[in-house]
Amino acid sequence: MKQRVLSGVRSTGNLHLGNYFGAIKNFLEMQENYECYFFIANLHALTTHPDPELLKKSVRATLVEYIACGLDPEKSTIYVQSDLPEISELYALLNMLAYKGELEKCTSFKEKIKKHKENINAGLLTYPVLMAADILIHRAHKVPVGKDQEQHLEMTRNFALRFNHLYGVNFFPEPEAFDMSGHLVKIPGLDGSGKMGKSESEGNAIFLREDADLIRKKVMRAKTDTGPTQPNQQKPDEIKNLFTLMNLVSKKETLQFFEDAYNNCTIRYGDFKKQLAEDIIQFTNPFKEKISALENDTKYINNIAESGAEKARVSAAKTLDAVHEIMGLKSIWK
Ligand code: TRP
């Protein structure tokens, strides 16, 4: 039997190159070898009270982008979190096993309450319980997550073990982090910082649906130094970052040409960036085209979401039914 892999993505839409090389490419590989569940986490988004219409729009945009990147509804089960009411019910049941103290100790909770003092709601506190419900509803074995989610995954393991122990069953497997470090590519930002991200400075990230002119602008504005003065000199971070990007999107010869130019101090950053911008445009073009084709095919996208939810609910209902049985919520009136 294939192991089950599960991952949730935030419903923010607007994937950038960092998301693509850092996570999505791994998802594409996993689809070939595991029973995969991928979903859009729109319930988690509610902690910050988004506008309902905007929330719907970003869920659709996120789904479109993931499909455009190659998530395949034939190979994986792809769905929207709120289309599975079983998740919300398991969340309510797991809340009975989650202690206030451990939830308050969670790093992401502590950070969030510092940032949003005016909106410290119970959903924020129990965010890790909802995430545990996401994972345990399919009794997943492996969860590909970044470092920032490791603590949440550890809490999921605690809830799973506690459930098994309390009810004397061996029902939930302990989900482990899918170690992506072997193939994890860290994508640098354009502002000289180590990481491409949406919340970093303006112009730091390049989105898959980015307009060609904006790509040119962003790349041309990327930070550079005054240039190498000695042959084979070490590259400062901001230059290394641009070379890392070029390595991902350009032809080998192009990369080699500019490596050589750097090493013999003849590199002209203007030309280098122009070439990088054109190669990023080439690379993102097919994504852009797929995204806009999918956006115009509402029927197809709706169909993916509907059949994904239907498929996911089979597995979710099975788990929930067993949980009902174990917790004494079934066959009360016989
Ligand atoms: N909390 C995750 C994030 O912020 C998203 C998420 C929600 C998730 N539920 C999940 C990830 C279940 C993995 C498994 O990125």
Side-chain angles (χ1 to χ4, degrees):
M1 203 187 66
K2 278 188 191 171
Q3 286 213 309
R4 287 182 294 276
V5 166
L6 174 140
S7 194
V9 297
R10 282 178 244 180
S11 55
T12 45
N14 256 340
L15 293 174
H16 51 69
L17 287 177
N19 300 127
Y20 181 74
F21 288 109
I24 301 172
K25 272 192 90 175
N26 290 312
F27 291 175
L28 302 184
E29 238 176 75
M30 288 169 197
Q31 313 194 101
E32 306 301 326
N33 304 312
Y34 296 91
E35 181 183 329
C36 288
Y37 294 86
F38 298 116
F39 70 94
I40 298 172
N42 59 341
L43 294 174
H44 281 104
L46 295 176
T47 55
T48 57
H49 311 158
D51 173 82
E53 284 310 314
L54 287 183
L55 180 61
K56 286 193 226 175
K57 226 172 126 184
S58 59
V59 168
R60 282 197 299 267
T62 309
L63 182 59
V64 160
E65 291 186 359
Y66 274 89
I67 302 295
C69 284
L71 278 203
D72 183 346
E74 301 287 325
K75 293 180 184 156
S76 304
T77 306
I78 302 165
Y79 58 97
V80 177
Q81 189 183 28
S82 61
D83 282 340
L84 263 66
E86 290 82 1
I87 295 175
S88 293
E89 189 177 340
L90 184 60
Y91 165 53
L93 298 174
L94 289 177
N95 265 326
M96 309 301 174
L97 305 190
Y99 293 106
K100 174 173 164 279
E102 65 186 334
L103 296 172
E104 280 171 343
K105 264 196 283 184
C106 179
T107 313
S108 64
F109 177 68
K110 288 196 284 194
E111 276 169 13
K112 281 178 196 158
I113 64 173
K114 249 193 258 156
K115 262 201 221 152
H116 305 285
K117 288 204 175 62
E118 72 301 338
N119 181 24
I120 306 175
N121 58 62
L124 212 53
L125 182 68
T126 56
Y127 185 107
V129 187
L130 180 53
M131 184 158 154
D134 290 329
I135 298 168
L136 298 177
I137 199 72
H138 298 300
R139 304 169 71 212
H141 302 100
K142 289 199 153 74
V143 185
V145 286
K147 272 247 163 327
D148 63 326
Q149 299 297 315
E150 262 169 22
Q151 192 181 27
H152 291 154
L153 193 58
E154 195 185 319
M155 293 172 84
T156 302
R157 278 195 293 274
N158 288 341
F159 300 142
L161 281 181
R162 202 174 294 159
F163 180 94
N164 289 348
H165 186 73
L166 185 63
Y167 294 102
V169 291
N170 186 7
F171 181 64
F172 287 124
E174 267 183 83
E176 27 169 308
F178 201 114
D179 188 8
M180 300 198 286
S181 53
H183 359 204
L184 210 63
V185 197
K186 201 167 132 204
I187 309 305
L190 290 173
D191 59 358
S193 78
K195 192 173 170 219
M196 184 175 283
K198 228 185 296 211
S199 43
E200 323 292 322
S201 66
E202 171 76 25
N204 170 49
I206 290 187
F207 299 102
L208 295 179
R209 46 168 97 217
E210 198 105 78
D211 179 71
D213 276 340
L214 205 53
I215 293 180
R216 286 191 191 101
K217 250 190 221 144
K218 283 186 176 179
V219 174
M220 295 317 284
R221 260 195 250 128
K223 213 175 136 196
T224 45
D225 65 347
T226 50
T229 49
Q230 283 166 25
N232 304 315
Q233 186 179 321
Q234 274 228 346
K235 300 185 184 86
D237 281 347
E238 65 268 22
I239 302 300
K240 208 165 24 178
N241 289 351
L242 296 180
F243 272 100
T244 302
L245 284 174
M246 183 169 258
N247 181 36
L248 293 168
V249 299
S250 303
K251 290 203 194 93
K252 271 207 184 72
E253 305 87 78
T254 311
L255 178 69
Q256 195 57 52
F257 174 84
F258 286 103
E259 286 278 5
D260 293 344
Y262 185 87
N263 286 331
N264 62 29
C265 307
T266 57
I267 191 162
R268 295 216 307 239
Y269 285 145
D271 296 344
F272 173 52
K273 290 205 251 180
K274 248 185 225 151
Q275 181 71 46
L276 177 60
E278 292 316 310
D279 290 345
I280 291 179
I281 292 167
Q282 280 278 328
F283 180 84
T284 49
N285 250 339
F287 292 103
K288 238 178 317 202
E289 280 165 19
K290 268 188 221 147
I291 289 170
S292 66
L294 288 167
E295 266 171 348
N296 290 322
D297 199 347
T298 321
K299 224 166 128 193
Y300 176 65
I301 284 295
N302 288 353
N303 199 353
I304 290 178
E306 273 166 29
S307 45
E310 216 174 286
K311 214 160 107 192
R313 287 192 73 181
V314 175
S315 143
K318 241 204 249 161
T319 304
L320 195 57
D321 189 64
V323 167
H324 283 166
E325 181 76 48
I326 293 167
M327 294 181 95
L329 303 170
K330 259 181 86 171
S331 318
I332 304 175
W333 311 115
K334 46 175 195 208

